[in-house]
């Protein structure tokens, strides 16, 4: 299995992306997937997203990129949190096995 490179992005690249990154790291451990997580402001993330396997954003993003984009705002708000966690886990496993 390969290490999955993840970019977590929010408006400022600090608060909500830090919390989301912490939760994503926990999900990866539960799934036995090694990850490398970086955080960025969403406007800057769009410039480097192709360097990562997965882009996790805390707000809506209406962009088409080569990188998988997962909306992870539910980790922050608690809305549909279990569904978001399962989506992250499934994508991590798929990417690790590519």
């Amino acid at each position: 299995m390969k290490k999955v490179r993840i970019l977590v992005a929010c408006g400022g690249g600090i608060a909500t992306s830090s919390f989301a990154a912490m939760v994503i790291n926990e999900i990866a451990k539960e799934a036995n997937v090694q990850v490398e997580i970086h955080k960025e402001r969403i406007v800057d993330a769009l410039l480097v997203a192709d360097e990562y396997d997965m882009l996790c954003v805390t707000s809506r993003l209406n962009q088409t990129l080569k990188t998988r984009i997962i909306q992870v705002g539910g980790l922050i708000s608690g809305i549909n949190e279990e569904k978001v966690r399962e989506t992250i886990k499934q994508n991590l496993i798929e990417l690790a096995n590519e």
Side-chain angles (χ1 to χ4, degrees), residues 6 13 19 25 40 45 55-56 61 68 75 77 86 90 94:
I6 303 168
F19 181 77
N25 192 49
E40 194 65 75
L55 171 61
C56 296
L61 179 65
R68 290 186 196 203
L75 299 178
S77 68
E86 188 58 33
Q90 289 174 356
E94 287 175 18

Side-chain angles (χ1 to χ4, degrees), residues 7-98:
L7 182 59
V8 182
C10 69
I14 300 171
T16 55
S17 62
S18 294
F19 181 77
M22 180 184 70
V23 176
I24 293 165
N25 192 49
E26 291 171 4
I27 295 166
K29 285 181 182 176
E30 292 168 7
N32 292 316
V33 174
Q34 287 188 322
V35 294
E36 178 182 321
I37 301 176
H38 296 265
K39 299 176 295 178
E40 194 65 75
R41 293 183 320 145
I42 200 154
V43 294
D44 297 326
L46 298 175
L47 301 173
V48 297
D50 290 346
E51 299 172 20
Y52 294 86
D53 300 306
M54 188 163 75
L55 171 61
C56 296
V57 294
T58 60
S59 59
R60 284 202 177 272
L61 179 65
N62 294 321
Q63 296 280 335
T64 301
L65 302 171
K66 295 177 188 176
T67 305
R68 290 186 196 203
I69 302 171
I70 300 179
Q71 205 290 330
V72 298
L75 299 178
I76 310 302
S77 68
I79 298 171
N80 293 321
E81 182 177 359
E82 286 308 312
K83 182 178 179 183
V84 172
R85 285 176 170 270
E86 188 58 33
T87 299
I88 293 167
K89 181 179 177 179
Q90 289 174 356
N91 278 275
L92 287 173
I93 291 169
E94 287 175 18
L95 288 165
N97 289 312
E98 283 183 346

